[in-house]
Amino acid sequence: MGKPSLFSGRSTSRHRIRAARELNVSHSTVLRRIEQFETILGSKLFKKLQRGYELTAAGEQLYENGQSIEINIDQLLSQAEGHHDVTQGKLRISQPEIGILNIYPLYAEFKRQHPDITLEIQSTMAAHNLAQQEVDIVLRFSEQPPELLVGRLIGTVKAKAYASKHYLKQLPKNHTSKDYDWIQWQRPKSVPASNWVKDNILNPRIVFRTPHMPDVVSAILSGIGVGFMSSHEAAQHKSLVELFDGEIIATYPLWMLTHRDLRNSERVTTFMRFMAENLHLD
């Protein structure tokens, strides 16, 4: 539950209109209902200021209590959904960025087999919170998944160094790794592949940096330089050449997980079973 819409100084009118739109009523009706609610409670929830509306102490307390109530309601609804023995409805899935793992062909096959299930896919390296019901299933890189989650280890994604055939043709005939232009994947946390470059290449020439793996893949395919990507993704591009004798630079265990409250959901178990049988990484 977000901060009350009639809150935020100079942008109060905009938030009031947005709240009215979400409730499908006029903004004057929103104000009137707040006043009615305050009358029932016998307590003021908002202070009207020149710059807009501000929560009172009672309003702040109600907001904090409401957050915990909403989380409990979401969990109860999730538990109830988890006991529905149906293979239809919405299934929210969080997966790694495209360029690390392309499983859309499997999504297509799953949809052919289960046309009544709607897939909502979020491609991100951020960790969605299953405990707060942000998604139903996550495909997550982890050495040890959280205790509240259940699932299985799908396999290991291997990172290797690649360059395009076009890029390599432009290098000197007797080139070495010192001649490479490097493409770097910037992540908030330390990336083993980036550390490998520092440890093995003297004064590496970094020519391209990006925080997004799809951009790394595009840069390698475009002939900008050498970079690291998953062998699973690289296998789909015939124009790429595996470097350093196919040395595995880093490995990332991939888990498929759901919240334990959803372990009896037919939608969830059907999808997880399908992926376990059809997604092959090793």
Side-chain angles (χ1 to χ4, degrees), residues 206-278:
I206 309 297
V207 300
F208 190 94
R209 291 186 174 92
T210 175
H212 303 296
M213 181 51 66
D215 294 327
V216 171
V217 174
S218 295
I220 297 173
L221 291 171
S222 299
I224 291 177
V226 175
F228 298 104
M229 57 188 291
S230 75
S231 56
H232 181 272
E233 173 69 19
Q236 303 179 55
H237 303 285
K238 296 181 179 179
S239 64
L240 295 182
V241 177
E242 196 175 80
L243 304 177
F244 302 108
D245 298 320
E247 179 182 351
I248 298 173
I249 307 302
T251 59
Y252 304 92
L254 180 68
W255 288 79
M256 180 168 54
L257 302 164
T258 188
H259 195 275
R260 60 187 180 187
D261 290 341
L262 295 176
R263 62 185 179 274
N264 295 319
S265 165
E266 188 66 21
R267 289 194 301 275
V268 170
T269 56
T270 297
F271 178 84
M272 294 182 74
R273 183 168 54 249
F274 173 85
M275 294 301 291
E277 294 172 352
N278 293 281

Side-chain angles (χ1 to χ4, degrees), residues 97-118:
E97 286 184 346
I98 298 299
I100 297 177
L101 197 64
N102 183 6
I103 52 181
Y104 278 87
L106 292 182
Y107 289 151
E109 178 58 30
F110 180 81
K111 281 294 300 171
R112 281 190 286 270
Q113 295 183 22
H114 305 281
D116 293 329
I117 294 180
T118 300

Side-chain angles (χ1 to χ4, degrees), residues 81-98:
E81 283 187 356
H83 290 83
H84 287 175
D85 190 24
V86 295
T87 52
Q88 61 183 13
K90 181 173 62 177
L91 195 59
R92 301 167 301 168
I93 301 165
S94 174
Q95 66 171 25
E97 286 184 346
I98 298 299

Side-chain angles (χ1 to χ4, degrees), residues 2-33:
K3 204 77 168 175
S5 296
L6 299 179
F7 181 78
S8 185
R10 290 176 295 176
S11 57
T12 296
S13 296
R14 177 170 55 83
H15 284 111
R16 187 166 61 229
I17 294 171
R18 187 174 65 187
R21 188 182 300 118
E22 291 177 0
L23 295 171
N24 197 28
V25 297
S26 66
H27 65 270
S28 61
T29 299
V30 173
L31 289 173
R32 187 167 60 253
R33 289 181 180 176

Side-chain angles (χ1 to χ4, degrees), residues 84-179:
H84 287 175
D85 190 24
V86 295
T87 52
Q88 61 183 13
K90 181 173 62 177
L91 195 59
R92 301 167 301 168
I93 301 165
S94 174
Q95 66 171 25
E97 286 184 346
I98 298 299
I100 297 177
L101 197 64
N102 183 6
I103 52 181
Y104 278 87
L106 292 182
Y107 289 151
E109 178 58 30
F110 180 81
K111 281 294 300 171
R112 281 190 286 270
Q113 295 183 22
H114 305 281
D116 293 329
I117 294 180
T118 300
L119 299 180
E120 290 190 2
I121 309 299
Q122 299 184 47
S123 297
T124 177
M125 296 306 294
H128 278 103
N129 195 326
L130 278 168
Q132 294 186 12
Q133 317 304 327
E134 292 180 349
V135 291
D136 303 310
I137 295 172
V138 295
L139 293 163
R140 176 182 297 176
F141 294 116
S142 176
E143 294 293 337
Q144 183 63 46
E147 292 183 1
L148 286 177
L149 307 185
V150 294
R152 64 180 72 190
L153 178 66
I154 295 295
T156 301
V157 173
K158 302 177 179 67
K160 299 181 181 180
Y162 294 92
S164 70
K165 295 177 182 178
H166 175 70
Y167 171 77
L168 294 175
K169 287 180 180 178
Q170 299 180 62
L171 296 178
K173 185 175 181 180
N174 298 318
H175 68 267
T176 68
S177 59
K178 294 180 181 179
D179 298 309

